[in-house]
Amino acid sequence: MIKAFYKPGSVAEAVKLKEQFGAKSCWFGNGTLINNALFGSRCERVISVEKLQLNRIASRNSHLEIGAGVTLQQMIDAPEIELVLRQAAGHLWSRNIRNMATIGGNIGANRTDSCLIPCLMALSAEVETAPGKRMSVEEYVRERHNELILKVLIPLPEGVCRVQRVARQAKGPTIITAAVYILQSGQRIKKAIIALGGIAEQVTRLTAVEQGLEKGSLADKPAIERAVAKGITPRPTLSASAAYLSYISSVTIADLVAACQEGKNEYENQIHP
Amino acid sequence: MSMKIKFTLNGTFRSIDAQAGENGQKLLQRIGIHSVRNSDDGTGIAGSDAVLFDGRIVNTGLLVAAQIEGHDIKTVESLSDGRTLSVVQAAMVDAGVVQSGYNSSAAALMLTDLLERIPEPTGTDIRDALSGFYTRDNGYQQFFKAVEIAKQRRKDPAHITGVAEEFREDLRDVGTARRKVDGPKLVMGKRAFVEDMVEPGSCVIKMLRSPHAHAYIQDIDLTEAENLPGVVLIITHRNCPDVYYTPAGQNFPEPSPYDRKMFNEKVRHCGDRVAAVVAETEEIACKALKQIKVTYVVLRPVLSIAEAAASDAPLVQNGLLEYRAHAPDNLEALNRPADPRDGKILYPFPIGADPRKNIAASAAGGIGDIEKGYAAADVILEREYQTSQVQQTPCETHTVYTRMDGDRLIIHASTQVPWHMRRIVARVLGISENKIRVIKERVGGAYGSKQDILLEDVCAYATWKTGRSVFFQFDREEEFTAASSRHPMKIRVKLGAKRDGTLTAVTMNVKANTGPFANHGLTVPMNACSKSLPLFLCENIKFDVTSYYSNIFPTGAYQGYGAPQGSFALQTAMAELAEELRMDCKVLIEKNRVREGAMLEILRCLGEGREGAPALVRSCGLDAALNLGAAMIAWGQKETSRDADIKIGKAVVIVQQGSGLPGLDQASAAITLQSDGSFIVHSGGTDLGTGLDTLCVKMASETLCTDMEKISIISADTDHTPFDTGAYASSGTFFSGNAALMAARDLKKKILAEAAKILKEPAKKLKMLYPARVQGSSRTLSFEDIARHAENGSGRGPLAGRATFTTEHAAFPYGAHFCEVAVNTRSGEIKVRKYYALQDCGTPINPELAEGQVYGGVLKAIGHSLWEEMKMDKNGACLNSNLWEYGGPTIGDLPEDFRVKLVATNDPFGPFGAKSVSELSCNGPAPAIAIAIHDAVGVWLRAWPFTPEKILAGLKKIPEPKKE
């Protein structure tokens, strides 16, 4: 139960509050996870970002900036954001929750079933944190950073990125979320990024598979599937056995690689498949 | 941190004191906004708590008070002006989506927001707008119609859209969509439900529940909890009434054993009652729960039918056995090993129980000569099917509010069975029924789960004992672990048939897991047979049913009442037989199915709580349903996908249910003529949101030639309406509807007699005419003239009609369900592309509501077929006792093409030819989807839910999942 709720008026004030209360406090976007009885933290002092004016989306020459307080619905409604990232935001099925959940909160919560983190990793996104640090989303997640996220910076992609959420239902638990980015030079894969959520405690990169693709040693779907299966050791969840998780991760990633190579987006301009 | 919260609520500035972390939904309720409700305990699934927050739809259960500071909140109260519905609200009522209505007002806000953002929304936009909404009532499909109506009326307020097919041109209201009588109140979010009746200062109950599935309570230390200021009473097995009873809301004497007290020394499931704390506030009650110290002797739990049937199984109910009648000869021997800590079981009459083998109930029977039947068969097929435990998940959890009125106990209940509740509570409290009044408030979803007395006994006792008003409402976890659910079953089917498909023998062996208690333990598994076997005409039929005690979560009545499990087994087995015979399964169905005029001999041995009797099928719409459905789905035409991984399959099944329980059920109604010629119907019928009140008003409006607007209804109040057995077993339309119709006819006679007296003409020469008048040869009298005459100093007194309906005649509703699925052989994903439910409910009295009932029933059953399942760990604890992980469908899970077609027949015993409609719908999806999956990919899935994992295992792409 939240006992103290702070709404600092500046980033400096927010950071000071965090320093003051340390681990007993947490950052608070709009609270869809912190306030949620299913996932809620035991955080008693929350520091809200509401008054920090982190809700702007801006296109720059080489990248796009999304304020940490931008909601997932605002992302979907922003045509300047890459379609694939808007589709990833749409993987959070409930509009009611998308109206509240923020991009900063989604990254900060660092959940393995995050709808955004795989896609942001695949797009090589970075976060700018207070005070003025910049790091990749991957590093922020992997190292379990806890600095206040101010904005997310997404480079304009040269290659193609595709995402897929596997779930039994529109709403309800996600089984896996996968994102693949492929930059090709002719027939050769110059750069591959694969991020997978749902099989470990955090969203993870499948670097061995990425390298295999870049080296050209994974020439077809069965080879990619084998490489993915070899590279993961999923634990069973309430919704899925380990064998199924391994299988579905393999085929999903193989299909996404193929979709990237073909430049195919199955859902065209739809946010919701 | 207490703070002053300043915000704007529906355009008015508000300043209130609150704790920073106070839940937003609770805060709004606290300041009198009843319409913002809780269905999910702040997990953001159901949307019953939705508001417009700075113009955007959000869930207040996911907000805390401090977030509200400085913002603008609009609730449903902002949509309408006084008593006038907004365009969206009116469209929702007209389209039939307002059924139980617990969160209809939240849906109204979401759709209003949609039309403000997108005046011409697409289907995708509508799905998106309702993506945060959950309901069990109407299967979401009619929301598309509601939006269409609203969209048109925004442009042209006079726009009239046909919302449903119309039936019975010869009648004014019956067979035509008319606004549901309680629809406006519900969609406006007015006070209607039990929780809205709670007076300030009332106490609350919080229940301490067992963490163990099977244990004895060795000791309970209440010292600290009882000393806590504000704790009024704590009830445990030590101080509760020493009365054994069944919570089953069935006719007396119940076919369910009295196998529990209010609190027991033995706990039999995780979540079983240990102690009830009655306190002045919720906070104090919760604090007291933490201060109760319990010592348990933990026993090995029994979690499956196999474990229950094992020779070394722990006994779940090892108490003394008592029989009111027909005790077995060896009762003394049976009672020798009884453990007094297990209490006792009292049987109103024998139900084939043997608790020393964990057998809660059993029955067997048949017709013809089964062995002869198999000997005559060219093909014999034997298969076993399994179903999992699933939950009703009504948006309004189980709720009750009790208070004293002088020396009388008033129970504000959300129930299907007001009179059974009064009987059971009176027995438990040891008081007479005249001391109790049960008022059935609007019910926010029931689906069978509110047929049982699951919290009213404790709450009533607390009020009776303390004199205090007490409120008790389950949270969502309690709904899963302490309410009722669908019985898991294992059903073995053996079919014998000639090469041409003629059935020669059918055997159904049903094993049910009834859980810790045997409420409905006999009748639900019996229904698996009695609603399936009569669909096929075969001379040699045998069935046997065994119901086992275990330590799973409690089971009970759930819409369909055993029929969905039986239908899954028998219909799938028939399709497997068709494959064996290399026949089209529709041809096999046609070869053997029931037809009008058939005598259902098997029902002689399938009575429910009494001797059975053969029944004549007087109306059966299967001919039309099968033919129409086949044309709609292009039966016989193989569909293909452009994606090589996707295979498409089709299926057809037939389904049956009953319309109440002939010979057991009873319904009554009275109608009074008011002084100005209007009417009030007093119906004992229990409207659960299904439209039963509207139906009863239509009975009166047709018979008494009066506009529905001039007829009001009071229903299901044990003080003010006559006895009715309640709304279960699909009895509402047939029983309560017939009672209302008969009462209207009785009143019609009395009005004509009074008119005859005034006109000095024989009554038989008078005509009752619309609107509201009686025509004689000399002049016409209005109903007002007649009422005034009856009520004057020389009159015979106010005119009233009264009737009680009982019958020995059955009226079976039938249906044919067609389904098309797409199965992705690479991912295992199953998509229901088409689902067509063609149902014969006789005359559809409220067509738009009947369609909604069917959509709702079908989607619930698609839910248990594909997604829903209560999961337990090895100790019997529930792993998914929340709406997020449990898997009830939302609008995003609808079949791509979802249609309901009502196939009208005219049943000679139904009111205006009507039969039941709702439960029937639950019986089709599981077999239809299983058969269609097989048609698509050649894999038979014989256990629901059908998951991608099971598909992939069937295709040998991953190992088989572990079985029970």
Side-chain angles (χ1 to χ4, degrees), chain B residues 148-161:
Chain B
E148 179 60 29
I149 296 170
K151 195 175 85 179
Q152 297 299 337
R153 285 188 190 157
R154 277 162 65 97
K155 291 185 239 170
D156 170 16
H159 175 81
I160 296 170
T161 310

PDB file of all heavy atoms in Angstrom, chain B residues 148-161:
ATOM      1  N   GLU B 148     -23.714   0.587 -34.078  1.00  0.00           N
ATOM      2  CA  GLU B 148     -24.332   0.950 -35.357  1.00  0.00           C
ATOM      3  C   GLU B 148     -25.592   1.801 -35.109  1.00  0.00           C
ATOM      4  O   GLU B 148     -25.794   2.833 -35.753  1.00  0.00           O
ATOM      5  CB  GLU B 148     -24.687  -0.340 -36.121  1.00  0.00           C
ATOM      6  CG  GLU B 148     -25.353  -0.128 -37.473  1.00  0.00           C
ATOM      7  CD  GLU B 148     -24.482   0.657 -38.452  1.00  0.00           C
ATOM      8  OE1 GLU B 148     -23.249   0.577 -38.336  1.00  0.00           O
ATOM      9  OE2 GLU B 148     -25.062   1.369 -39.301  1.00  0.00           O
ATOM     10  N   ILE B 149     -26.402   1.357 -34.154  1.00  0.00           N
ATOM     11  CA  ILE B 149     -27.634   2.106 -33.838  1.00  0.00           C
ATOM     12  C   ILE B 149     -27.267   3.505 -33.328  1.00  0.00           C
ATOM     13  O   ILE B 149     -27.830   4.513 -33.770  1.00  0.00           O
ATOM     14  CB  ILE B 149     -28.473   1.362 -32.772  1.00  0.00           C
ATOM     15  CG1 ILE B 149     -28.961   0.015 -33.320  1.00  0.00           C
ATOM     16  CG2 ILE B 149     -29.659   2.205 -32.315  1.00  0.00           C
ATOM     17  CD1 ILE B 149     -29.593  -0.883 -32.260  1.00  0.00           C
ATOM     18  N   ALA B 150     -26.319   3.558 -32.407  1.00  0.00           N
ATOM     19  CA  ALA B 150     -25.933   4.851 -31.825  1.00  0.00           C
ATOM     20  C   ALA B 150     -25.381   5.780 -32.899  1.00  0.00           C
ATOM     21  O   ALA B 150     -25.690   6.976 -32.926  1.00  0.00           O
ATOM     22  CB  ALA B 150     -24.908   4.636 -30.720  1.00  0.00           C
ATOM     23  N   LYS B 151     -24.572   5.205 -33.775  1.00  0.00           N
ATOM     24  CA  LYS B 151     -23.962   5.991 -34.859  1.00  0.00           C
ATOM     25  C   LYS B 151     -25.056   6.628 -35.729  1.00  0.00           C
ATOM     26  O   LYS B 151     -25.004   7.820 -36.041  1.00  0.00           O
ATOM     27  CB  LYS B 151     -23.114   5.021 -35.696  1.00  0.00           C
ATOM     28  CG  LYS B 151     -22.132   5.645 -36.623  1.00  0.00           C
ATOM     29  CD  LYS B 151     -21.305   4.564 -37.286  1.00  0.00           C
ATOM     30  CE  LYS B 151     -21.999   4.016 -38.515  1.00  0.00           C
ATOM     31  NZ  LYS B 151     -21.207   2.972 -39.191  1.00  0.00           N
ATOM     32  N   GLN B 152     -26.037   5.825 -36.076  1.00  0.00           N
ATOM     33  CA  GLN B 152     -27.120   6.330 -36.922  1.00  0.00           C
ATOM     34  C   GLN B 152     -27.956   7.373 -36.180  1.00  0.00           C
ATOM     35  O   GLN B 152     -28.339   8.392 -36.747  1.00  0.00           O
ATOM     36  CB  GLN B 152     -28.030   5.174 -37.374  1.00  0.00           C
ATOM     37  CG  GLN B 152     -27.333   4.138 -38.246  1.00  0.00           C
ATOM     38  CD  GLN B 152     -26.786   4.703 -39.544  1.00  0.00           C
ATOM     39  OE1 GLN B 152     -27.248   5.736 -40.024  1.00  0.00           O
ATOM     40  NE2 GLN B 152     -25.765   4.051 -40.097  1.00  0.00           N
ATOM     41  N   ARG B 153     -28.214   7.123 -34.906  1.00  0.00           N
ATOM     42  CA  ARG B 153     -29.082   8.046 -34.157  1.00  0.00           C
ATOM     43  C   ARG B 153     -28.377   9.365 -33.844  1.00  0.00           C
ATOM     44  O   ARG B 153     -29.034  10.367 -33.596  1.00  0.00           O
ATOM     45  CB  ARG B 153     -29.562   7.384 -32.869  1.00  0.00           C
ATOM     46  CG  ARG B 153     -30.636   6.341 -33.122  1.00  0.00           C
ATOM     47  CD  ARG B 153     -31.219   5.845 -31.822  1.00  0.00           C
ATOM     48  NE  ARG B 153     -32.066   4.681 -32.047  1.00  0.00           N
ATOM     49  CZ  ARG B 153     -32.345   3.790 -31.106  1.00  0.00           C
ATOM     50  NH1 ARG B 153     -31.865   3.938 -29.888  1.00  0.00           N
ATOM     51  NH2 ARG B 153     -33.112   2.759 -31.369  1.00  0.00           N
ATOM     52  N   ARG B 154     -27.052   9.323 -33.824  1.00  0.00           N
ATOM     53  CA  ARG B 154     -26.342  10.606 -33.648  1.00  0.00           C
ATOM     54  C   ARG B 154     -26.593  11.503 -34.848  1.00  0.00           C
ATOM     55  O   ARG B 154     -26.602  12.720 -34.740  1.00  0.00           O
ATOM     56  CB  ARG B 154     -24.840  10.349 -33.479  1.00  0.00           C
ATOM     57  CG  ARG B 154     -24.470   9.974 -32.034  1.00  0.00           C
ATOM     58  CD  ARG B 154     -23.124   9.323 -31.982  1.00  0.00           C
ATOM     59  NE  ARG B 154     -22.040  10.196 -32.380  1.00  0.00           N
ATOM     60  CZ  ARG B 154     -21.265  10.875 -31.538  1.00  0.00           C
ATOM     61  NH1 ARG B 154     -21.474  10.774 -30.242  1.00  0.00           N
ATOM     62  NH2 ARG B 154     -20.288  11.622 -31.980  1.00  0.00           N
ATOM     63  N   LYS B 155     -26.781  10.850 -36.003  1.00  0.00           N
ATOM     64  CA  LYS B 155     -27.052  11.645 -37.208  1.00  0.00           C
ATOM     65  C   LYS B 155     -28.548  11.962 -37.301  1.00  0.00           C
ATOM     66  O   LYS B 155     -28.946  13.038 -37.702  1.00  0.00           O
ATOM     67  CB  LYS B 155     -26.633  10.850 -38.446  1.00  0.00           C
ATOM     68  CG  LYS B 155     -25.132  10.679 -38.571  1.00  0.00           C
ATOM     69  CD  LYS B 155     -24.799   9.982 -39.878  1.00  0.00           C
ATOM     70  CE  LYS B 155     -24.052   8.695 -39.630  1.00  0.00           C
ATOM     71  NZ  LYS B 155     -23.866   7.840 -40.742  1.00  0.00           N
ATOM     72  N   ASP B 156     -29.350  10.975 -36.946  1.00  0.00           N
ATOM     73  CA  ASP B 156     -30.793  11.135 -37.076  1.00  0.00           C
ATOM     74  C   ASP B 156     -31.443  10.531 -35.829  1.00  0.00           C
ATOM     75  O   ASP B 156     -31.634   9.314 -35.743  1.00  0.00           O
ATOM     76  CB  ASP B 156     -31.268  10.402 -38.344  1.00  0.00           C
ATOM     77  CG  ASP B 156     -32.783  10.320 -38.414  1.00  0.00           C
ATOM     78  OD1 ASP B 156     -33.453  11.071 -37.667  1.00  0.00           O
ATOM     79  OD2 ASP B 156     -33.293   9.507 -39.213  1.00  0.00           O
ATOM     80  N   PRO B 157     -31.802  11.369 -34.858  1.00  0.00           N
ATOM     81  CA  PRO B 157     -32.342  10.849 -33.598  1.00  0.00           C
ATOM     82  C   PRO B 157     -33.568   9.965 -33.780  1.00  0.00           C
ATOM     83  O   PRO B 157     -33.867   9.140 -32.919  1.00  0.00           O
ATOM     84  CB  PRO B 157     -32.692  12.115 -32.810  1.00  0.00           C
ATOM     85  CG  PRO B 157     -31.836  13.182 -33.395  1.00  0.00           C
ATOM     86  CD  PRO B 157     -31.659  12.839 -34.838  1.00  0.00           C
ATOM     87  N   ALA B 158     -34.261  10.127 -34.885  1.00  0.00           N
ATOM     88  CA  ALA B 158     -35.482   9.332 -35.091  1.00  0.00           C
ATOM     89  C   ALA B 158     -35.184   7.982 -35.745  1.00  0.00           C
ATOM     90  O   ALA B 158     -36.100   7.202 -36.027  1.00  0.00           O
ATOM     91  CB  ALA B 158     -36.454  10.119 -35.955  1.00  0.00           C
ATOM     92  N   HIS B 159     -33.905   7.732 -35.986  1.00  0.00           N
ATOM     93  CA  HIS B 159     -33.542   6.511 -36.713  1.00  0.00           C
ATOM     94  C   HIS B 159     -34.029   5.260 -35.990  1.00  0.00           C
ATOM     95  O   HIS B 159     -33.858   5.098 -34.792  1.00  0.00           O
ATOM     96  CB  HIS B 159     -32.016   6.440 -36.865  1.00  0.00           C
ATOM     97  CG  HIS B 159     -31.558   5.162 -37.485  1.00  0.00           C
ATOM     98  ND1 HIS B 159     -31.584   4.944 -38.833  1.00  0.00           N
ATOM     99  CD2 HIS B 159     -31.079   4.035 -36.928  1.00  0.00           C
ATOM    100  CE1 HIS B 159     -31.122   3.731 -39.082  1.00  0.00           C
ATOM    101  NE2 HIS B 159     -30.808   3.163 -37.943  1.00  0.00           N
ATOM    102  N   ILE B 160     -34.654   4.365 -36.730  1.00  0.00           N
ATOM    103  CA  ILE B 160     -35.112   3.096 -36.145  1.00  0.00           C
ATOM    104  C   ILE B 160     -34.391   1.965 -36.868  1.00  0.00           C
ATOM    105  O   ILE B 160     -34.392   1.894 -38.095  1.00  0.00           O
ATOM    106  CB  ILE B 160     -36.641   2.937 -36.297  1.00  0.00           C
ATOM    107  CG1 ILE B 160     -37.352   4.027 -35.503  1.00  0.00           C
ATOM    108  CG2 ILE B 160     -37.084   1.546 -35.830  1.00  0.00           C
ATOM    109  CD1 ILE B 160     -38.834   4.115 -35.765  1.00  0.00           C
ATOM    110  N   THR B 161     -33.745   1.127 -36.112  1.00  0.00           N
ATOM    111  CA  THR B 161     -33.048  -0.015 -36.703  1.00  0.00           C
ATOM    112  C   THR B 161     -33.651  -1.291 -36.159  1.00  0.00           C
ATOM    113  O   THR B 161     -33.891  -1.399 -34.956  1.00  0.00           O
ATOM    114  CB  THR B 161     -31.558  -0.005 -36.286  1.00  0.00           C
ATOM    115  OG1 THR B 161     -31.039   1.274 -36.535  1.00  0.00           O
ATOM    116  CG2 THR B 161     -30.764  -1.053 -37.040  1.00  0.00           C
TER     117      THR B 161
END
